[in-house]
Amino acid sequence: MGPADELVVRATVRNGTDDELAAPQASLRVNRFLQSTRGSLDRWADQPLSGTVGDRLVSAPLTGPLAPGQTADVELRVPAGELRLSTADSAWGPRGLSVEVTDGGAGRPSTGRSSCGSPPTRSSPPPASASWSR
């Protein structure tokens, strides 16, 4: 990702609760720390929902309300400069991403987690996709 690029995350969220979400909102969080080993990535992914999964960069309302079992698609975009990642060659590698869903920005969040990363190049990196469920 170059300085003029943007991170685009598309997610399908599902209300896995027994309650309707009246005003669902999705937020993108990015862990800026390099996940340089399988163990460090596993520790990040296994944190409880109350743990720090990264800095919130952008939020967007979902078309709501969202009934139990219902899904909604969301696209979250962040300019590369707002990620505030190091540009040093030694700093490339996977970073944790999470999409957090709350009801009206309040209440206990539900979070899906993934990671992304690619070696530094001068050309555009290939597209990446991730899918998860909790």
Side-chain angles (χ1 to χ4, degrees):
M1 178 178 313
D5 295 333
E6 69 178 353
L7 173 65
V8 179
V9 174
R10 293 178 186 94
T12 299
V13 298
R14 180 179 164 274
N15 181 357
T17 72
D18 294 330
D19 301 314
E20 178 180 89
L21 301 177
Q25 176 176 300
S27 299
L28 176 63
R29 290 181 172 269
V30 174
N31 184 329
R32 291 184 174 97
F33 296 104
L34 176 64
Q35 304 296 325
S36 60
T37 67
R38 181 178 299 262
S40 66
L41 186 58
D42 287 344
R43 283 188 297 280
W44 175 81
D46 290 339
Q47 290 183 64
L49 292 179
S50 60
T52 302
V53 295
D55 297 322
R56 181 180 292 130
L57 299 180
V58 66
S59 297
L62 301 176
T63 303
L66 199 60
Q70 188 176 12
T71 62
D73 294 327
V74 64
E75 182 176 277
L76 301 160
R77 295 175 168 265
V78 179
E82 290 181 24
L83 293 172
R84 298 190 328 258
L85 300 177
S86 173
T87 57
D89 287 344
S90 62
W92 75 267
R95 301 299 195 281
L97 302 176
S98 64
V99 175
E100 174 184 80
V101 178
T102 57
D103 191 6
R108 184 182 171 116
S110 176
T111 307
R113 298 179 186 158
S114 188
S115 66
C116 71
S118 64
T121 64
R122 297 286 178 216
S123 63
S124 297
S129 96
S131 174
W132 67 87
S133 66
R134 281 220 186 226

